[in-house]
Amino acid sequence: MRRLVLALLALLAAAAATGETLRSLSYTHPGAGLSAITVKGGIGEVEILAAAGTEVVVSVDLTRKGGGLFGDRQSARDADAIEIEPRLAGGELTLRLKPEHRGDAHLSERWTVRVPAALAATVHLGVGDVSVLDVTGDVRVQVGVGDVRIEGPFNSFGEIRAASGVGDATLRTPQGRTEGTGFIGHTLSGHGPGASTVHADAGVGDVTIRLR
């Protein structure tokens, strides 16, 4: 079973490996009236950062993955056609790339999203790593294959749940350290003094939550 885990992690590293940046996209949205933000990605990385400003500021780097000469040409053409698609409904801003290229063998996307700290943040990513840092609203992360890192102020959060189908789950708070229970997959739960919640789920990969 250990060999299976190592093989899956090796596949993750190969899938998420990036090279030349083909295109950089940007988008800004006023924070007034927003209560939540959702990022839906395919293969790559997503980082959500609490910022001092009042706007949502987004940048996405589209990078080329290995694929040989023809793959390089195809990925460059694909990158030229991609844009950030924002959708606003009921105070929730959802961001994704259009046209979708989930499972694309040649492109990787690297998201950096700066948000007002109080916004709720949700991330769905197929393959790659997710970080959510210093947000004080609800945090939801779901990754197919990849690691999840969540950090923030302990006093902001109440219910805390984390699960990994194949990997570790760890929670660190001022109250101490909690390790997930399980054999191959691990789950954990905790509770803080706040009102916001943290739910993090990785199919294959580690989930690390650190609340200061």
Side-chain angles (χ1 to χ4, degrees), residues 167-168 179-187:
D168 296 325
E179 298 287 348
T181 58
F183 179 55
I184 300 300
H186 294 82
T187 61

Side-chain angles (χ1 to χ4, degrees), residues 49-82:
L49 305 166
T54 60
E55 296 179 318
V56 173
V57 180
V58 183
S59 65
V60 182
D61 290 333
L62 300 175
T63 58
R64 188 200 319 267
K65 297 186 296 181
L69 176 61
F70 296 106
D72 290 348
R73 291 175 179 173
Q74 182 63 45
S75 59
R77 288 195 295 268
D78 290 345
D80 286 341
I82 291 173

Side-chain angles (χ1 to χ4, degrees), residues 17-84:
T18 60
E20 175 190 358
T21 298
L22 299 173
R23 192 168 179 215
S24 294
L25 310 174
S26 61
Y27 173 77
T28 300
H29 192 285
L34 289 183
S35 58
I37 184 168
T38 296
V39 176
K40 296 184 177 181
I43 297 174
E45 301 174 11
V46 177
E47 184 176 51
I48 296 184
L49 305 166
T54 60
E55 296 179 318
V56 173
V57 180
V58 183
S59 65
V60 182
D61 290 333
L62 300 175
T63 58
R64 188 200 319 267
K65 297 186 296 181
L69 176 61
F70 296 106
D72 290 348
R73 291 175 179 173
Q74 182 63 45
S75 59
R77 288 195 295 268
D78 290 345
D80 286 341
I82 291 173
E83 300 290 347
I84 298 173

